[in-house]
Amino acid sequence: MRLSVLAAVSLLAVAAAGCTNETLDSFDKVDVDISKVSSKTSYQLSPSIVSKLASMKIDRSSPIMLRIFKEEGRLELWKADRTNRFQLVRNYKICAWSGKLGPKMKEGDRQAPEGFYPLSRANMNPNSSYFLAINTGFPNTYDRANKASGTNLMIHGACSSSGCYSMTDEQMLEIFAFARDAFDGGQKSVQLQAFPFRMTAENMARHRDNPNIEFWKMLKVGYDHFEVTKRPPEVNVCEGKYVFNQQAEKPFSPTGSCPAMSTPGALQTALASYNKTYATAYARAMSKYAGTVWIEPSEAQRKAIVADQRKGRELAYAPTGNSLDAGKLMTEREIAEQKRKAEEAERRKVEAAERAVREAEEAKNKAAADFAADVAATKAEKQARGVGYLPVPEHNPGVASAVEKKEKKPFWKLFSQDSEPREAQQVQPVVNESAALQADQGSGEAATPAGKTARTAAVAQETDAVATLPVAGGEAGQQVVEQTQKKPFWKFWQK
């Protein structure tokens, strides 16, 4: 079992821990001309790198490990030497990473993952839209146990990120070649360790108020194991938590209870010595940062400090900078003053908005009052001029004359002696004497006895018809009948 070997070398690692982690400045710069690379998947490491590896007693095809620190914006590449201890061989500046410090929890949160991820050859993507890519394997066993979600979280080229760790194409070409050579040499799984920052006593004290501090304390155990042994720790998950280099008789269940576990004795001794030194350093750091808070910058704030790097490049090129340059340490007094200024600015903003609403309402009311005044003034002016009003109705002589003319008697009634009311005369039926007379004249029958007889019969028949009409009021009706039977004036001259 690997842990037995780990325990045997752990004490040696503790003794050498103070002299590791030295950045190899000569390895930081990637001197590759992409335009001269015929095949990006078969690119071979430069002769200078191979020579340097040989001087460190590291074989070209030996295993590798990747380690990321968000805050510094760094990706480290470690490679096993011939004693099976890992040494730092490359320290790349990450071109872009999105979000802030802290783990990725759900799809679309723009967070780059943090934790321990095993990478196989299947995670390598030579056909990526971002030059070359290695899938981080998110979500891993721990992420799934804690219901974290997300897909296609990569280490890739193109220097543009939405939840990924993005490198330059030159850097990605070299990282891809290191991984390919390790898999060709027989490595089955490359461990990716992604941390928010280096888990030193000072950094842990500086970030003590961050809401992710408990999660980071859990990651720190794995970080410490690597710092002590210089070998990637064996990682398991139980009760939804990471556990490192633990021996157990029963299998681990990601969401189940942790089985009985134990740490190898030699490793436990080495960790005890390491933790004692750490505790002293942490107490010193707490004294240094007492009364202060680290203000974590946003992605936009990080981008602002490296905006000039985008000049002359494609729009897709989007370096983000690191949190150390963009963040700041503030005292509690400075934070309180900043909070007061922010609240004051917000208060002024609210007052300005309320004042704008009030002024708009006053302007509206004034406009309405001005309009009403204009209407009243216009109305008064028209009234003074007599414009726009109906005239007072006056007596119309013409109408009265028409009524009087309409009520005059026909000229032949001037000789009538009846004094009955006008209403009765209007109701009285008129015998069609003129029609009968015309009939007599037209036919010549009036001059003959037979004609007279026919005319007299017609008049009598018409008179009888009138007499049979129902007339309201007996006396009034009698007057109507009597008037109907009166002889017309022209008959006074008839014999």
Side-chain angles (χ1 to χ4, degrees):
M1 189 176 182
R2 189 178 68 176
L3 287 176
S4 61
V5 178
L6 176 63
V9 301
S10 60
L11 294 179
L12 175 63
V14 171
C19 60
T20 58
N21 269 351
E22 181 180 353
T23 300
L24 304 179
D25 295 335
S26 61
F27 275 33
D28 285 344
K29 184 173 175 57
V30 179
D31 190 12
V32 179
D33 187 351
I34 294 290
S35 64
K36 295 181 180 180
V37 176
S38 58
S39 173
K40 59 185 180 181
T41 58
S42 59
Y43 169 77
Q44 300 298 311
L45 296 174
S46 68
S48 62
I49 292 178
V50 175
S51 176
K52 185 65 177 179
L53 292 176
S55 68
M56 300 172 68
K57 298 181 179 180
I58 298 175
D59 296 329
R60 179 174 176 173
S61 60
S62 69
I64 67 170
M65 186 196 81
L66 302 176
R67 192 161 72 157
I68 288 174
F69 299 107
K70 281 184 178 179
E71 186 172 57
E72 295 179 21
R74 288 285 176 169
L75 186 152
E76 297 178 345
L77 193 147
W78 293 69
K79 200 165 175 65
D81 62 17
R82 290 167 191 166
T83 65
N84 206 28
R85 294 182 70 249
F86 281 68
Q87 296 189 49
L88 178 64
V89 297
R90 293 298 264 162
N91 188 343
Y92 302 101
K93 183 179 180 181
I94 297 173
C95 194
W97 59 273
S98 58
K100 300 179 70 173
L101 301 187
K104 182 173 185 64
M105 295 305 299
K106 60 182 179 180
E107 185 83 54
D109 62 7
R110 290 187 57 80
Q111 284 292 102
E114 294 176 5
F116 291 77
Y117 297 86
L119 312 178
S120 68
R121 189 188 289 270
N123 290 85
M124 299 179 69
N125 181 9
N127 303 311
S128 172
S129 299
Y130 298 89
F131 189 66
L132 290 168
I134 300 176
N135 195 310
T136 63
F138 181 93
N140 62 12
T141 303
Y142 170 86
D143 299 323
R144 290 192 296 271
N146 288 275
K147 296 180 171 41
S149 63
T151 55
N152 300 320
L153 280 302
M154 308 280 181
I155 300 171
H156 60 66
C159 191
S160 179
S161 174
S162 293
C164 300
Y165 295 104
S166 184
M167 317 300 291
T168 64
D169 291 349
E170 291 81 3
Q171 291 171 333
M172 200 61 215
L173 186 71
E174 194 171 275
I175 294 169
F176 202 86
F178 269 113
R180 181 202 62 222
D181 289 349
F183 287 126
D184 289 346
Q187 187 173 7
K188 301 300 181 182
S189 178
V190 173
Q191 188 173 95
L192 167 64
Q193 302 176 4
F195 299 105
F197 43 78
R198 297 185 188 276
M199 306 304 230
T200 63
E202 185 160 319
N203 285 341
M204 292 298 287
R206 182 163 52 89
H207 289 283
R208 67 192 181 280
D209 296 318
N210 192 291
N212 296 299
I213 191 62
E214 293 303 320
F215 171 72
W216 293 338
K217 286 180 179 178
M218 179 178 58
L219 297 186
K220 182 182 177 300
V221 177
Y223 175 90
D224 292 346
H225 280 225
F226 179 76
E227 287 295 303
V228 167
T229 66
K230 285 300 179 286
R231 297 189 64 187
E234 183 175 323
V235 181
N236 282 294
V237 179
C238 60
E239 297 180 2
K241 299 177 182 179
Y242 283 113
V243 292
F244 304 95
N245 290 329
Q246 293 298 298
Q247 295 176 326
E249 295 181 357
K250 294 183 179 181
F252 291 91
S253 172
T255 57
S257 299
C258 291
M261 301 180 294
S262 62
T263 304
L267 176 58
Q268 190 171 8
T269 301
L271 288 172
S273 177
Y274 179 89
N275 290 331
K276 182 178 179 181
T277 302
Y278 173 83
T280 302
Y282 187 79
R284 186 166 55 247
M286 285 295 291
S287 176
K288 174 182 177 180
Y289 292 115
T292 64
V293 176
W294 175 256
I295 306 301
E296 176 68 18
S298 66
E299 183 178 345
Q301 290 171 327
R302 289 190 289 113
K303 286 182 176 180
I305 64 174
V306 294
D308 58 329
Q309 295 181 18
R310 303 187 64 176
K311 295 178 181 178
R313 296 180 178 268
E314 296 180 359
L315 293 177
Y317 185 83
T320 59
N322 63 65
S323 291
L324 284 175
D325 293 338
K328 57 184 176 180
L329 195 67
M330 300 181 67
T331 65
E332 293 178 355
R333 172 181 285 186
E334 290 172 335
I335 294 173
E337 179 63 18
Q338 187 180 65
K339 181 179 179 181
R340 186 193 65 78
K341 289 181 178 179
E343 291 175 348
E344 178 65 19
E346 182 64 22
R347 185 184 62 79
R348 288 196 298 268
K349 183 179 178 180
V350 172
E351 289 178 351
E354 292 176 347
R355 183 167 56 253
V357 172
R358 187 168 57 252
E359 290 174 353
E361 187 66 24
E362 290 174 355
K364 179 181 177 181
N365 293 337
K366 185 177 182 303
D370 291 345
F371 178 76
D374 290 343
V375 171
T378 302
K379 182 177 180 181
E381 182 182 356
K382 287 184 177 182
Q383 186 174 5
R385 293 185 304 169
V387 178
Y389 291 88
L390 294 175
V392 178
E394 298 179 355
H395 176 68
N396 190 340
V399 175
S401 300
V403 173
E404 291 176 358
K405 289 180 180 179
K406 185 175 181 181
E407 292 179 350
K408 285 185 178 180
K409 291 182 180 181
F411 74 95
W412 61 82
K413 289 190 177 183
L414 296 175
F415 303 95
S416 175
Q417 296 180 357
D418 62 298
S419 59
E420 63 190 13
R422 184 174 302 275
E423 292 80 359
Q425 294 180 9
Q426 291 177 350
V427 176
Q428 176 183 348
V430 179
V431 179
N432 197 356
E433 288 286 343
S434 59
L437 179 59
Q438 290 176 2
D440 291 346
Q441 291 176 351
S443 60
E445 294 177 354
T448 64
K452 291 181 180 180
T453 304
R455 181 180 57 78
T456 304
V459 171
Q461 185 178 2
E462 193 172 71
T463 302
D464 292 340
V466 172
T468 59
L469 290 175
V471 181
E475 185 176 348
Q478 184 64 27
Q479 291 178 359
V480 173
V481 175
E482 290 177 356
Q483 287 189 8
T484 303
Q485 295 176 351
K486 283 186 179 180
K487 187 186 295 183
F489 75 95
W490 61 79
K491 291 187 180 182
F492 285 106
W493 287 274
Q494 293 180 358
K495 295 181 180 180

